[in-house]
Amino acid sequence: MNIPMRTYLVTQGDRSRGRGTGSIVRAAIEGGVDIVQMREKHTSARERYELGKELRALTREADIPFVVNDRVDIAAAVDADGVHLGDDDLPVSVARDHLGEEAIIGRSVSTPEAASEAERAGADYLGVGAVFATDTKDVNEGEAEIGTETIAEIAETVDIPIVGIGGINADNATEVVNAGAAGVAVVTTITDADDPAAATQQLRQAVENGRTTV
Ligand SMILES: Cc1ncc(COP(=O)(O)OP(=O)(O)O)c(N)n1
Ligand SMILES: Cc1nc(C(=O)O)sc1CCOP(=O)(O)O
Ligand SMILES: [Mg+2]
């Protein structure tokens, strides 16, 4: 499965300076984002469903993949392309049974062992983090600031693509890609930017720079 994910936006409404998540996603699309994940932790199922339908329409119009964080039921309800799962979410195999062979299923990992297990379970890509310090999410001790060395180890271990996540911006994205990531996933670099479209473009350029210098 060839999933475009050089620049991967993970949404978070409460880190978007009061701007609607729809407007952030529209700007990211204008800036050339490759894939969008709806991640709205403290909202009801109904709110996620309504926002999910809006983001599905925007991403469909832009012809880019749309993934829902955590919730297989909401992914199915809004006709998303897939779901992103972590340790507290449904197993990859269960999501696969519900969403089908064509669905994009991402899995969070922070060690080579967990990466191998997720690949065996049928994940299509891995989100690996937290690469650098972040205050967007409380990351467990041992999974914080794993660095680009762990990105390199995991990239060597699995055949599926990986994206780095956590504290990534246009100044350090090149390093993440040079370590072996297919791309970078970000929340605040885009959602909290003065100009989310320009921030997406700069991130994209940093990723491209990595590809040409590897
Ligand atoms: C691309 C990507 N990578 C990792 C995560 C983290 O997922 P998870 O561990 O399930 O934590 P929450 O995001 O649910 O808090 C992600 N969402 N996206
Ligand atoms: C959602 C998420 N998952 C992480 C992980 O390590 O699995 S770090 C993270 C937050 C990323 O936010 P920012 O780009 O603002 O640092
Ligand atoms: Mg999760």
Side-chain angles (χ1 to χ4, degrees):
M1 185 183 284
N2 185 20
I3 311 161
M5 45 184 186
R6 290 169 294 183
T7 49
Y8 185 143
L9 169 65
V10 179
T11 74
Q12 189 162 325
D14 62 10
R15 293 301 302 269
S16 300
R17 300 195 199 173
R19 300 170 292 197
T21 293
S23 81
I24 299 290
V25 168
R26 244 183 245 109
I29 288 171
E30 187 190 324
V33 81
D34 287 310
I35 177 168
V36 173
Q37 176 190 139
M38 178 177 73
R39 178 177 182 270
E40 302 295 336
K41 293 301 251 191
H42 307 294
T43 59
S44 67
R46 177 66 71 93
E47 286 167 326
R48 291 188 209 192
Y49 171 67
E50 296 297 343
L51 179 61
K53 282 198 300 183
E54 180 188 350
L55 303 189
R56 171 70 287 184
L58 290 171
T59 49
R60 182 159 279 151
E61 194 185 335
D63 199 22
I64 61 171
F66 175 56
V67 168
V68 171
N69 186 47
D70 295 345
R71 296 281 297 260
V72 172
D73 57 342
I74 294 174
V78 304
D79 196 26
D81 296 297
V83 69
H84 188 92
L85 304 169
D87 290 343
D88 296 334
D89 307 317
L90 288 177
V92 169
S93 58
V94 174
R96 181 69 69 201
D97 286 348
H98 281 79
L99 297 177
E101 283 307 312
E102 299 301 313
I104 298 172
I105 300 185
R107 180 68 165 86
S108 309
V109 298
S110 54
T111 65
E113 295 72 27
S116 291
E117 201 180 315
E119 182 177 41
R120 273 197 305 275
D124 295 302
Y125 77 90
L126 303 175
V128 181
V131 183
F132 304 113
T134 179
D135 65 3
T136 307
K137 170 179 161 179
D138 282 335
V139 181
N140 296 332
E141 204 182 324
E143 294 174 1
E145 296 187 64
I146 57 171
T148 51
E149 307 75 23
T150 306
I151 292 282
E153 278 176 52
I154 292 178
E156 283 288 310
T157 304
V158 295
D159 291 326
I160 53 177
I162 70 174
V163 288
I165 187 167
I168 298 175
N169 54 47
D171 292 332
N172 58 25
T174 306
E175 189 191 333
V176 176
V177 172
N178 283 347
V184 295
V186 303
V187 180
T188 51
T189 287
I190 294 176
T191 65
D192 194 33
D194 289 343
D195 181 341
T200 307
Q201 269 172 357
Q202 284 156 12
L203 191 66
R204 193 179 171 85
Q205 187 58 58
V207 170
E208 290 301 327
N209 290 346
R211 289 168 175 263
T212 53
T213 55
V214 172

